[in-house]
Amino acid sequence: MTARIARLLLTLLLVSFLTACGERQTRKAEEAYLPSTPLDFLPALKGDYFRLDSEIVGRPYHIYVRYPEGYEQSPEREYPVIYLLDGDSLFPILAANHLFLHYDDKIPEAIVVGIAYGGFDPATNWRDVDFSTKWAERARSGGVEDFHRFVERELLPAVETRYRVDATRRVLYGQSRGGFMVLYSAFNHPDLFWGRVAGNPSLLPHPEQFYAEPAKAARSDLRLVVSSATEDRYKENRERTLDWYSHWRARDNAPWNIYLNTIEGGTHAANSTDIYRYALRELFQDEIMQAQQDADATAQH
């Protein structure tokens, strides 16, 4: 009798153990298919995610997408699209803030896309390569043209077949070395983006490339916004940016309308929302004015 009870208890323990193991394996399998951050529970960041393995660059990118408010309720509407470099850090800041710019500044809603590496470790994050031309003083550099081809030939088609994008109003945003990438794009591929935003850009390596003749543009409505903070810890960034702006402001053959934003008291990395807000107010000034007129007309009735 005692032996029978012992065998029964052993059987129950074994079944419980196997059941627990099975449940743990099921949870692990389910977690492998779930995003690590459920952004759908953050309304200001509600959108999508997909991984994009680039054949051109030979590395993967993590693409985060923020939907405009009311996106699902307006199935026929197309939206401007804003591509954020350094999406690992800038997407959660700027994509969420776009909602309040729409509310308070009447900046039009937009699809916001973060181009992320998935980490800050140099083994994962290759911004030093992607955002530079060849730089003899650096161990890694020189991948900007490949990265730009990835954006043009792989990223833009992937985004613009998935989401309702107004491809005539693409905006590219980058800071620091990302600002270098923005300027490189503006000079070498001007028509690809309608608007560009370079925040505290580095003009290195070879700043002379940004004084050379830009590639010819077919569009006449291109816009380039450059922001520079007075307390940028890289003082030479601000000096080079102001010299560059003075040079191009005096010329009448630039393929873009140029806007300069000085951020008084701003620093190198902490003023992304100020840079973003100023730039979008300039880029979308016509839409903002129309929205304000519509709001005033509604208030009068």
Side-chain angles (χ1 to χ4, degrees):
M1 185 68 176
T2 302
R4 185 181 303 168
I5 293 173
R7 286 196 298 272
L8 179 59
L9 290 174
L10 181 60
T11 301
L12 291 173
L13 287 172
L14 182 59
V15 170
S16 297
F17 176 77
L18 293 174
T19 300
C21 288
E23 288 175 349
R24 283 197 295 271
Q25 290 174 349
T26 299
R27 282 198 301 271
K28 287 182 179 179
E30 290 174 347
E31 288 169 0
Y33 290 98
L34 291 173
S36 58
T37 305
L39 296 180
D40 280 352
F41 295 96
L42 295 172
L45 286 174
K46 185 175 182 180
D48 200 6
Y49 160 83
F50 63 93
R51 171 175 165 147
L52 185 55
D53 293 284
S54 172
E55 295 183 3
I56 293 172
V57 175
R59 288 181 270 110
Y61 295 89
H62 300 276
I63 310 303
Y64 291 89
V65 180
R66 182 253 177 191
Y67 293 157
E69 189 174 48
Y71 182 76
E72 294 168 344
Q73 290 73 42
S74 305
E76 303 303 320
R77 182 176 173 185
E78 293 184 341
Y79 294 85
V81 57
I82 302 169
Y83 292 90
L84 305 177
L85 304 178
D86 287 314
D88 302 86
S89 53
L90 290 175
F91 178 79
I93 298 171
L94 300 180
N97 195 53
H98 194 102
L99 181 67
F100 299 106
L101 297 178
H102 175 62
Y103 287 167
D104 290 351
D105 289 344
K106 296 183 171 47
I107 288 170
E109 266 290 19
I111 295 169
V112 183
V113 178
I115 309 167
Y117 294 93
F120 297 118
D121 189 311
T124 300
N125 193 310
W126 287 72
R127 70 190 301 274
D128 52 341
V129 176
D130 289 345
F131 305 158
S132 68
T133 46
K134 193 63 179 176
W135 199 344
E137 292 81 5
R138 297 290 180 92
R140 307 195 314 182
S141 65
V144 68
E145 182 58 27
D146 282 346
F147 179 76
H148 202 284
R149 288 195 297 121
F150 153 72
V151 169
E152 180 176 7
R153 301 180 189 180
E154 296 178 324
L155 176 62
L156 267 59
V159 169
E160 295 174 10
T161 55
R162 282 175 165 88
Y163 313 107
R164 298 195 307 276
V165 165
D166 178 358
T168 67
R169 292 197 295 171
R170 298 184 187 125
V171 177
L172 179 65
Y173 178 105
Q175 286 187 211
S176 189
R177 296 230 51 79
F180 177 99
M181 163 57 189
V182 169
L183 293 177
Y184 179 89
S185 174
F187 271 78
N188 293 280
H189 307 275
D191 287 317
L192 192 61
F193 292 93
W194 163 68
R196 291 178 171 86
V197 185
N200 293 319
S202 169
L203 273 68
L204 298 176
H206 314 304
E208 64 274 10
Q209 66 187 298
F210 299 122
Y211 289 82
E213 198 70 24
K216 297 294 183 183
R219 297 181 61 167
S220 60
D221 62 341
L222 303 178
R223 302 173 184 186
L224 172 60
V225 183
V226 179
S227 286
S228 177
T230 60
E231 303 301 321
D232 190 337
R233 65 178 177 270
Y234 303 110
K235 299 298 182 184
E236 64 276 11
N237 271 5
R238 178 162 173 78
E239 294 168 3
R240 292 191 185 101
T241 297
L242 294 178
D243 287 345
W244 176 88
Y245 175 72
S246 296
H247 172 82
W248 283 100
R249 183 180 60 176
R251 297 180 59 170
D252 59 3
N253 62 337
W256 351 265
N257 292 317
I258 306 174
Y259 307 84
L260 177 68
N261 174 30
T262 291
I263 305 174
E264 294 292 342
T267 59
H268 182 70
N271 294 90
S272 59
T273 54
D274 302 307
I275 295 169
Y276 190 81
R277 183 187 187 201
Y278 174 89
L280 267 59
R281 286 166 65 100
E282 292 294 343
L283 294 176
F284 293 103
Q285 55 187 280
D286 295 338
E287 291 90 338
I288 293 169
M289 184 180 300
Q290 184 61 56
Q292 186 62 58
Q293 291 174 354
D294 293 344
D296 293 342
T298 300
Q300 292 172 3
H301 288 83

